[in-house]
């Protein structure tokens, strides 16, 4: 069982050199929960930032579902000199009035805070992802946006979905580095997503200079039967 009393005391401890201009009962009966994320990244890498966002949003939604009429949880925005903007959850920790932190026992602690403690400890000690499906969707969307942003200028970005799907169908993992522009040109041509500079011409020029590479890439990656016609057309 988690030590709710110790966690409550920690949540109610006012950080040193910390300016607070919110509710008057903060650090008396209300405290921080440890559930937060940084909209501008907070110095984290992209995947860590996405995980923070996913956990924050999904935990908040879970708590709203479990305690639909509760007024003991609030979302607030703050600013930190190092991390920038921070969205965080605060919670009413002590449910007795007046609060007495010196004689605190488990019965004095709100159900909402106990639930949050269980979640935070589980994320810390067991598994860091609260909602695997939500995190995976956000991560995939991030990688897709990076894919679109880094498409060669010769390719029509309005057809990025078609090119993306062609690459996936042909065995590429477009969530990570390793996709060459040549592969994108092939995908654009195979999917009929030629741009104003004509990906077909780009493909034919590259194919002419790299005949062995064309065959190798088709055998290893390309599953589109129509692609063989391109290979044999040289």
């Amino acid at each position: 069982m988690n030590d709710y009393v110790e966690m409550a005391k920690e949540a109610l401890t006012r950080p040193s050199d910390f300016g607070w201009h919110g509710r008057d009962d903060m650090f008396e009966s209300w405290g921080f929960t440890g559930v937060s994320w940084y909209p501008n990244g907070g110095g984290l890498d992209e995947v860590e930032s996405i995980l923070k966002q996913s956990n924050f949003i999904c935990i908040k939604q879970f708590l709203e579902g479990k305690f639909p009429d509760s007024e003991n949880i609030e979302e607030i925005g703050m600013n930190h000199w190092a991390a920038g903007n921070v969205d965080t959850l605060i919670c009413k920790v002590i449910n007795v009035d007046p609060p007495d932190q010196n004689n605190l026992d488990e019965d004095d602690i709100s159900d909402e805070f106990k639930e949050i403690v269980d979640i935070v400890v589980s994320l810390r000690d067991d598994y860091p992802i609260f909602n695997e499906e939500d995190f995976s969707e956000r991560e995939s969307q991030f990688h897709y946006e990076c894919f679109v942003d880094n498409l060669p200028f010769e390719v029509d970005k309005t057809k990025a979905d078609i090119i993306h799907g062609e690459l996936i169908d042909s065995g590429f993992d477009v969530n990570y580095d390793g996709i060459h522009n040549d592969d994108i040109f092939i995908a654009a041509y195979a999917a009929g997503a030629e741009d104003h500079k004509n990906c077909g011409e780009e493909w034919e020029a590259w194919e002419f200079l790299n005949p062995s590479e064309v065959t190798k890439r088709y055998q290893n990656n390309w599953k589109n039967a129509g692609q063989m016609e391109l290979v044999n057309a040289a």
Side-chain angles (χ1 to χ4, degrees):
M1 178 179 292
N2 292 313
D3 193 335
Y4 298 118
V5 172
E6 287 303 313
M7 296 289 282
K9 291 179 178 179
E10 181 178 340
L12 294 167
T13 301
R14 184 188 184 105
S16 61
D17 301 322
F18 176 74
W20 174 257
H21 307 287
R23 54 186 310 136
D24 295 336
D25 49 5
M26 189 68 173
F27 308 119
E28 293 182 5
S29 59
W30 282 69
F32 289 120
T33 64
V35 179
S36 61
W37 83 289
Y38 312 97
N40 62 345
L44 303 174
D45 68 32
E46 289 85 354
V47 175
E48 288 177 322
S49 181
I50 293 168
L51 176 56
K52 278 278 191 181
Q53 180 189 31
S54 174
N55 283 350
F56 179 84
I57 292 174
C58 291
I59 291 170
K60 182 173 179 287
Q61 291 173 344
F62 170 79
L63 293 170
E64 289 171 346
K66 184 157 188 175
F67 305 101
D69 301 318
S70 175
E71 297 181 352
N72 290 342
I73 302 173
E74 291 184 8
E75 176 183 349
I76 63 169
M78 301 186 299
N79 186 272
H80 187 274
W81 67 271
N85 295 331
V86 182
D87 289 346
T88 190
L89 297 183
I90 61 175
C91 180
K92 187 173 185 180
V93 179
I94 302 177
N95 59 10
V96 294
D97 191 26
D100 184 0
Q101 297 185 32
N102 295 321
N103 296 288
L104 192 61
D105 62 46
E106 190 170 309
D107 292 336
D108 299 331
I109 300 173
S110 70
D111 291 338
E112 292 90 339
F113 184 75
K114 290 177 181 177
E115 186 69 37
I116 292 172
V117 167
D118 290 341
I119 291 171
V120 170
V121 171
S122 178
L123 291 173
R124 182 192 67 194
D125 296 343
D126 299 327
Y127 190 62
I129 303 175
F130 184 75
N131 185 318
E132 187 80 46
E133 182 178 358
D134 182 87
F135 170 68
S136 179
E137 289 178 356
R138 293 177 187 275
E139 185 182 29
S140 295
Q141 181 62 28
F142 165 75
H143 286 303
Y144 174 73
E145 291 171 359
C146 289
F147 167 78
V148 175
D149 289 342
N150 290 287
L151 281 173
F153 74 89
E154 297 93 344
V155 174
D156 183 358
K157 290 189 177 183
T158 65
K159 299 178 180 179
D161 280 348
I162 301 174
I163 300 170
H164 187 267
E166 184 72 24
L167 286 164
I168 291 177
D169 290 345
S170 300
F172 289 94
D173 182 354
V174 294
N175 286 345
Y176 304 99
D177 295 334
I179 303 296
H180 296 92
N181 284 357
D182 299 326
D183 299 314
I184 294 173
F185 288 135
I186 296 171
Y189 186 67
E194 297 87 347
D195 72 315
H196 65 283
K197 288 194 66 177
N198 192 337
C199 284
E201 293 180 1
E202 296 284 349
W203 155 256
E204 290 171 2
W206 182 81
E207 178 200 36
F208 178 78
L209 296 173
N210 302 273
S212 62
E213 184 70 11
V214 171
T215 303
K216 182 176 70 175
R217 292 193 185 200
Y218 173 76
Q219 290 173 341
N220 291 341
N221 298 98
W222 292 93
K223 306 299 187 294
N224 188 327
Q227 187 63 38
M228 184 57 78
E229 297 178 7
L230 296 175
V231 176
N232 292 332

